[in-house]
Amino acid sequence: MRQASTILTVATRGRGFTEITQEIATWLGATGIQEGLLTLLCRHTSASLLIQENAAPAVKTDLAAWFERLAPESDGYAHDDEGPDDMPAHLRATLTGVNLSIPVRYGRMQLGTWQGIYLAEHRRAAHRREVALHLLGE
Amino acid sequence: MRQASTILTVATRGRGFTEITQEIATWLGATGIQEGLLTLLCRHTSASLLIQENAAPAVKTDLAAWFERLAPESDGYAHDDEGPDDMPAHLRATLTGVNLSIPVRYGRMQLGTWQGIYLAEHRRAAHRREVALHLLGE
Amino acid sequence: MRQASTILTVATRGRGFTEITQEIATWLGATGIQEGLLTLLCRHTSASLLIQENAAPAVKTDLAAWFERLAPESDGYAHDDEGPDDMPAHLRATLTGVNLSIPVRYGRMQLGTWQGIYLAEHRRAAHRREVALHLLGE
């Protein structure tokens, strides 16, 4: 049994979803670990991780509209030092969460056919985001 | 230290909650692992996993009504190829998430007294759903 | 590779957020494990865990208001045996989830600079809450 870890850096272009499934699969393959447990942690409070549909682009449009409905930009927040998009970004990150755990078999993540891993950027501006990857297995 | 894994198949009867705590406990017992970490991944984007109250059935009624309020069926979604219940199903799966990590001691999941593990089916129709189980321990 | 586990007890003062990052870091340090995976499970259905901004107190004010908006206290719930704050507590716990997985390197959790770990109490009354901690590593 052994461990591997790395930091994946994701350059976002502002609010939206960046699929990172392939980058993670490539790193996983390079470790040579065949069976184990993969853990992802997004090291930010206004970006987050989610597993969602990887085929229909309209899903992302609807997800973004839903985030705006559940945690809208408004001038009604107590925390507004960093602008009106900051507090809704924290709320949206809370909604989806910042960590994922994915079993690995035969050197591959055991995702379903239609599942992709996405980093969700919740701020308006482009950011460099870090995702800590950890793998334990053999 | 060793690993065990399996796929649990859950036949749902359409929208609603199926408790899977006992099936998981049975599999866990059969592995003989006493102390470790159990990971669950629902391999779908319109079904999800949650830990909730296992005693009062009314909790499930209220949860279902809450899902309908936060992510209603409507004709206002961009993604509607698979019908009006598809996009709200993706949103509800995002709300609860598709993976869980549960510490194991003395051969049992360290759940609280009132906690049960549920697969939530978010589509109207019955489906066969897969949950990947992974256990690491000794 | 070895394991360590404990139960962290958190005395809450009713609804609100209790930061537990330091208690966890202290326990982690005492195990001597340098590289591994830390898992947290809140053993309740009306309290939950989240990673959020650890600097600006106003974030907690806005989070609390948002919980009240998405899962309000009301007399419209089917499950009300334990009072009007019980069912919204279950919904808020579902919203944030009860478990977290955090990679560990150099004996420290790989959290980002602004990330803190919080136990969220969703009932009005003070409670003693249990968080199961599990660490696997070397």
Side-chain angles (χ1 to χ4, degrees), chain A residues 94, chain C residues 10-20 40 42-52 60 63-64 67 88-98 100 116-125 127-131:
Chain A
T94 297
Chain C
V10 182
T12 71
R13 282 179 278 181
R15 200 168 277 164
F17 304 93
T18 305
E19 185 166 8
I20 56 176
L40 284 66
C42 173
R43 304 179 73 215
H44 306 276
T45 58
S46 54
S48 60
L49 294 173
L50 70 160
I51 291 178
Q52 253 303 336
K60 269 139 244 164
L63 261 176
F67 285 154
H90 291 312
L91 300 178
R92 295 168 195 193
T94 297
L95 193 59
T96 53
V98 292
L100 295 172
I117 303 171
Y118 293 86
L119 179 107
E121 171 63 70
H122 300 297
R123 299 299 305 270
R124 284 188 197 164
H127 281 78
R128 286 177 67 81
R129 301 301 196 174
E130 290 184 355
V131 181

Side-chain angles (χ1 to χ4, degrees), chain B residues 58-60 62-63, chain C residues 77 79 83-92:
Chain B
V59 169
K60 268 137 246 164
D62 288 330
L63 261 176
Chain C
Y77 295 111
H79 175 72
D85 66 323
D86 188 38
M87 193 58 219
H90 291 312
L91 300 178
R92 295 168 195 193

Side-chain angles (χ1 to χ4, degrees), chain B residues 82-117:
Chain B
E82 292 186 49
D85 65 324
D86 187 38
M87 193 59 219
H90 291 313
L91 299 177
R92 295 169 194 192
T94 297
L95 193 61
T96 52
V98 292
N99 76 287
L100 295 172
S101 300
I102 302 171
V104 169
R105 289 200 83 177
Y106 313 112
R108 298 179 59 178
M109 293 181 276
Q110 282 197 285
L111 295 170
T113 311
W114 307 108
Q115 289 183 316
I117 303 172

Side-chain angles (χ1 to χ4, degrees), chain B residues 30-53:
Chain B
T31 66
I33 290 177
Q34 292 296 302
E35 181 166 8
L37 178 63
L38 175 69
T39 304
L40 284 65
L41 175 69
C42 174
R43 304 179 73 214
H44 306 275
T45 59
S46 53
S48 59
L49 295 173
L50 69 160
I51 292 177
Q52 252 305 335
E53 158 80 40

Side-chain angles (χ1 to χ4, degrees), chain B:
Chain B
M1 198 80 65
R2 60 191 173 88
Q3 302 184 78
S5 52
T6 193
I7 301 286
L8 177 68
T9 302
V10 182
T12 71
R13 282 179 278 180
R15 201 170 276 165
F17 304 93
T18 305
E19 185 165 9
I20 55 175
T21 319
Q22 191 50 56
E23 285 85 340
I24 296 168
T26 300
W27 176 76
L28 174 61
T31 66
I33 290 177
Q34 292 296 302
E35 181 166 8
L37 178 63
L38 175 69
T39 304
L40 284 65
L41 175 69
C42 174
R43 304 179 73 214
H44 306 275
T45 59
S46 53
S48 59
L49 295 173
L50 69 160
I51 292 177
Q52 252 305 335
E53 158 80 40
N54 58 9
V59 169
K60 268 137 246 164
T61 308
D62 288 330
L63 261 176
W66 185 64
F67 285 154
E68 178 59 28
R69 190 165 69 78
L70 290 199
E73 282 204 13
S74 92
D75 53 8
Y77 296 110
H79 175 72
D80 58 4
D81 318 353
E82 292 186 49
D85 65 324
D86 187 38
M87 193 59 219
H90 291 313
L91 299 177
R92 295 169 194 192
T94 297
L95 193 61
T96 52
V98 292
N99 76 287
L100 295 172
S101 300
I102 302 171
V104 169
R105 289 200 83 177
Y106 313 112
R108 298 179 59 178
M109 293 181 276
Q110 282 197 285
L111 295 170
T113 311
W114 307 108
Q115 289 183 316
I117 303 172
Y118 293 86
L119 179 105
E121 171 63 69
H122 299 298
R123 298 299 305 270
R124 284 188 197 164
H127 281 78
R128 286 177 69 81
R129 300 301 196 174
E130 291 184 354
V131 180
L133 307 186
H134 175 265
L135 179 61
L136 187 60
E138 61 198 336

Side-chain angles (χ1 to χ4, degrees), chain A residues 1-7 37 39-45 69-72 76-79 81-82 87 90-95 98-101 132-134 136, chain C residues 1 35-37 50-54 56 58-63 66-67 69-70 95-96 99-105 109-116 136-138:
Chain A
M1 199 79 66
R2 61 190 172 88
Q3 302 184 77
S5 52
T6 193
I7 301 285
L37 178 64
T39 304
L40 284 65
L41 175 68
C42 173
R43 305 179 72 214
H44 306 275
T45 58
R69 188 164 71 78
L70 289 200
Y77 295 110
H79 176 71
D81 317 354
E82 292 186 48
M87 192 61 219
H90 291 312
L91 299 178
R92 296 169 194 191
T94 297
L95 193 60
V98 292
N99 75 288
L100 296 172
S101 300
L133 307 188
H134 176 266
L136 187 59
Chain C
M1 199 78 68
E35 182 165 8
L37 178 63
L50 70 160
I51 291 178
Q52 253 303 336
E53 156 82 41
N54 59 10
V59 169
K60 269 139 244 164
T61 309
D62 287 330
L63 261 176
W66 184 63
F67 285 154
R69 188 164 72 78
L70 289 199
L95 193 59
T96 53
N99 76 287
L100 295 172
S101 300
I102 301 172
V104 169
R105 291 200 82 178
M109 292 180 276
Q110 282 197 287
L111 294 169
T113 311
W114 308 107
Q115 289 184 314
L136 187 59
E138 61 199 334

